[in-house]
Amino acid sequence: MAELSTADHGSSPPRISIPRDYNAAHDLIERNLRAGRADKPVFIDDAGPHTYGDLARRVDRFAHALTGLGVRMEERVLLALHDSIDFPTAFLGCVKAGVVPVCANTLLTANDYEYMLRDSRARVLFVSAPLLPTFAPLVAKIPSLEHVVVSSAVVEGHRAFADLLTGADRPFEPAATTADDPCFWLYSSGSTGAPKGTVHVHASLMQTAELYARPILGLQESDVVFSAAKLFFAYGLGNSLTFPMAVGATAILMAERPTPAAVFARLKQHQPTIFYGVPTLYAALLASAELPARNDLRLRRCTSAGEALPEELGKRWSAHFGVDILDGIGSTEMLHIFLSNRPGDVRYGTTGKPVPGYEVRIVDDHGAPVPVGEPGELQIAGPTSAAFYWNNREKSRATFQGPWTRSGDKYVQDRDGYYIYAGRSDDMLKVSGMYVSPVEVESALITHAAVLEAAVIGCEDEDRLVKPMAFVVLKSGQSAAPDLADTLKQHVKSRLAPFKYPRWIEFVDELPKTATGKIQRFKLRARVAAR
């Protein structure tokens, strides 16, 4: 069982003591049974509550069924499951059996899924019934795929997930895994192109809980948590599975998309104390006519990740609900948040300071440290770094360099030690010989009353010099009046250095995003290049 070292006092970084022989699923389940929580709800999904004891039985039945299908230790299976009790059952059942679950984004295309199935050589596909039509044309094309198991419905010709759990209640002896064994994969979100199979080890799950959930969030057994970010996302996996199970809390799971109406319904019905969102969602919630009153909810902590939270959004949320949003940054490669604002120390417009247990540095193109106030690439050293990218040695070597993981994010550290996001390395613009952060321009645009969202890219002018171009989504009820573009340009000039304003503004109905809410600026660049 993982424990926080007794040496974690004072200014020394916390150290997580995890034994060499370690199975993450066994730890997460058994620590709660030993603590007498068998009858306490661990998850409340759309069908109702499920206790820690129920989950333990489901996981053992699943692990027995999985081995009965002939899946062996270290082999992969693909999970394309909506957020319900079936996801943690499958995820933890695989991990307990030493089988490696590959968590797939549930909003992708058939081509994406074919790539993942071939790349991972998955033996079994576990899929939610609404997603089955997307996978149907692929099943016969994947040589490694032997079984398709369908969750949430009975589909003729396929095994039903529920049928796997009809076996006798008998314990499953956890696989003899080690702390450094491959535990699960997450595919990178694709915000910069092709996804990569990111391999994480057993020790990393508990380390994220002990380094971030306990000390930064102050997560307790009495908390009820709700994450709009889904379980297939690194952020959501920690939020809804690892963190609550690490302390014995309860998590709300929602299968449908996180629209404002759906999110508000769960916030009001289940009264979670901790809410995890992303900037795009916070903007939509604040713009909704259904925004609840402060006293309708009982939130004590809110977090944001995925992209930098604009200062304006954070301040508006805090003013309305009386709860700060703790903006932070994590990554698929680092598994969860390593740089964060924290209770009592929130500075909107920044990503806060390093989470204890992690080191960060900002370097130039040659790997040399940059002066305070200058932009450079953020690199991270910490215990939750992925082991490697599957079947991709070149990119593994480029990203994982000794103890340091390259983030691909540009950051600036201010004189007070706070870190300020300056965009992706490939999104940064150099205008008139000076760096311009797309995020900074986007943040200025959304302070205008008519703007809901904005994305900024570089575009060449008639002299082939790069200048900012903005794509803007207007709030409901707003229209693109003939002079609105000029108004927005002046709005940005009034807030930023004049050279940073967007020379062109295009009004669009929506922005291209990954399933986790990150704006895909590379798609906007491709759209402009194709004209």
Side-chain angles (χ1 to χ4, degrees):
M1 179 175 175
E3 295 180 349
L4 194 63
S5 169
T6 56
D8 300 335
H9 298 294
S11 59
S12 61
R15 299 196 303 272
I16 310 305
S17 176
I18 294 180
R20 179 187 180 280
D21 298 321
Y22 179 76
N23 184 286
H26 183 65
D27 182 3
L28 284 168
I29 292 169
E30 290 302 313
R31 63 172 51 209
N32 288 289
L33 299 184
R34 285 195 298 270
R37 301 187 188 111
D39 295 327
K40 179 182 178 178
V42 54
F43 298 111
I44 302 174
D45 67 6
D46 296 339
H50 307 272
T51 68
Y52 278 96
D54 293 336
L55 178 65
R57 288 185 288 274
R58 288 174 63 94
V59 166
D60 280 351
R61 288 173 177 173
F62 182 93
H64 279 298
L66 193 61
T67 56
L69 292 176
V71 185
R72 295 169 295 185
M73 190 171 172
E74 300 181 12
E75 293 182 326
R76 277 82 57 196
V77 303
L78 191 77
L79 309 186
L81 297 169
H82 289 144
D83 282 18
S84 75
I85 188 61
D86 284 354
F87 190 113
T89 298
F91 182 87
L92 294 170
C94 287
V95 173
K96 190 168 185 178
V99 173
V100 179
V102 178
C103 305
N105 173 328
T106 59
L107 298 174
L108 298 180
T109 65
N111 287 340
D112 295 317
Y113 293 133
E114 181 174 0
Y115 172 83
M116 291 180 180
L117 286 166
R118 289 186 183 280
D119 186 55
S120 66
R121 305 185 190 117
R123 295 276 309 279
V124 185
L125 165 65
F126 295 92
V127 57
S128 291
L131 302 175
L132 186 58
T134 305
F135 282 92
L138 309 177
V139 174
K141 297 167 62 175
I142 308 300
S144 64
L145 191 61
E146 299 176 1
H147 305 283
V148 176
V149 180
V150 181
S151 165
S152 68
V154 176
V155 178
E156 186 176 353
H158 295 293
R159 293 174 180 267
F161 193 101
D163 290 345
L164 297 183
L165 309 180
T166 57
D169 283 329
R170 53 193 176 95
F172 184 92
E173 187 68 23
T177 53
T178 71
D180 288 338
D181 265 323
C183 181
F184 62 98
W185 295 12
L186 298 169
Y187 272 93
S188 62
S189 62
S191 59
T192 57
K196 301 174 288 291
T198 310
V199 180
H200 281 285
V201 301
H202 278 257
S204 291
L205 284 170
M206 192 55 62
Q207 286 167 327
T208 62
E210 296 292 358
L211 293 176
Y212 175 77
R214 286 186 192 269
I216 303 298
L217 296 182
L219 194 65
Q220 303 168 8
E221 181 181 357
S222 58
D223 279 312
V224 177
V225 307
F226 174 45
S227 175
K230 300 297 186 179
L231 283 162
F232 66 76
F233 182 24
Y235 180 45
L237 183 67
N239 297 343
S240 294
L241 192 150
T242 311
F243 295 175
M245 293 190 68
V247 302
T250 301
I252 309 303
L253 300 181
M254 179 177 75
E256 64 185 296
R257 291 180 57 248
T259 62
V263 169
F264 291 149
R266 271 71 177 185
L267 290 175
K268 289 189 285 190
Q269 178 183 358
H270 299 296
Q271 294 291 301
T273 53
I274 295 179
F275 174 64
Y276 309 90
V278 296
T280 299
L281 178 60
Y282 280 114
L285 296 177
L286 286 167
S288 173
E290 301 174 6
L291 185 69
R294 177 184 298 194
N295 293 335
D296 290 343
L297 308 181
R298 66 184 192 103
L299 297 173
R300 70 175 188 86
R301 291 277 188 276
C302 294
T303 73
S304 179
E307 280 197 306
L309 178 75
E311 181 177 358
E312 177 77 6
L313 283 180
K315 289 181 174 178
R316 286 170 55 202
W317 183 271
S318 180
H320 184 84
F321 287 111
V323 179
D324 280 321
I325 299 174
L326 307 182
D327 188 28
I329 182 175
S331 67
T332 303
E333 289 77 9
M334 294 304 298
L335 189 55
H336 213 276
I337 290 172
F338 52 80
L339 189 64
S340 181
N341 285 271
R342 58 206 69 196
D345 187 13
V346 172
R347 185 172 294 191
Y348 287 122
T350 82
T351 319
K353 298 179 179 180
V355 171
Y358 294 90
E359 295 179 65
V360 302
R361 66 183 184 185
I362 300 175
V363 300
D364 63 18
D365 293 341
H366 304 289
V370 302
V372 170
E374 292 294 322
E377 184 190 32
L378 184 74
Q379 298 186 353
I380 314 100
T384 61
S385 175
F388 54 88
Y389 295 130
W390 173 257
N391 201 24
N392 202 328
R393 187 167 182 242
E394 180 180 359
K395 290 186 176 179
S396 294
R397 295 178 70 179
T399 299
F400 307 108
Q401 300 185 345
W404 295 97
T405 297
R406 299 182 61 185
S407 71
D409 290 314
K410 290 282 188 180
Y411 261 84
V412 174
Q413 184 184 17
D414 69 16
R415 296 192 179 279
D416 295 325
Y418 294 88
Y419 288 76
I420 301 166
Y421 182 64
R424 290 288 299 176
S425 295
D426 52 2
D427 287 334
M428 288 291 289
L429 313 178
K430 206 165 191 180
V431 179
S432 301
M434 294 171 284
Y435 277 113
V436 175
S437 163
V439 174
E440 187 180 22
V441 183
E442 291 160 4
S443 296
L445 281 165
I446 69 167
T447 63
H448 192 279
V451 176
L452 176 63
E453 294 181 296
V456 172
I457 63 170
C459 189
E460 291 185 347
D461 62 14
E462 62 273 17
D463 295 319
R464 302 198 69 177
L465 297 174
V466 173
K467 299 292 188 292
M469 177 179 184
F471 292 82
V472 171
V473 179
L474 298 176
K475 291 180 180 176
S476 177
Q478 299 287 338
S479 59
D483 61 345
L484 183 55
D486 288 337
T487 299
L488 293 178
K489 291 176 184 179
Q490 292 301 318
H491 182 76
V492 173
K493 285 182 179 180
S494 71
R495 283 160 171 75
L496 303 177
F499 69 88
K500 296 183 179 182
Y501 86 94
R503 293 355 181 231
W504 311 273
I505 293 181
E506 183 171 324
F507 297 100
V508 294
D509 292 332
E510 61 182 7
L511 299 174
K513 297 173 186 172
T514 69
T516 56
K518 293 183 182 180
I519 296 170
Q520 294 173 308
R521 295 183 186 86
F522 74 94
K523 289 189 176 180
L524 296 174
R525 289 193 290 268
R527 184 187 303 179
V528 172
R531 292 174 179 172

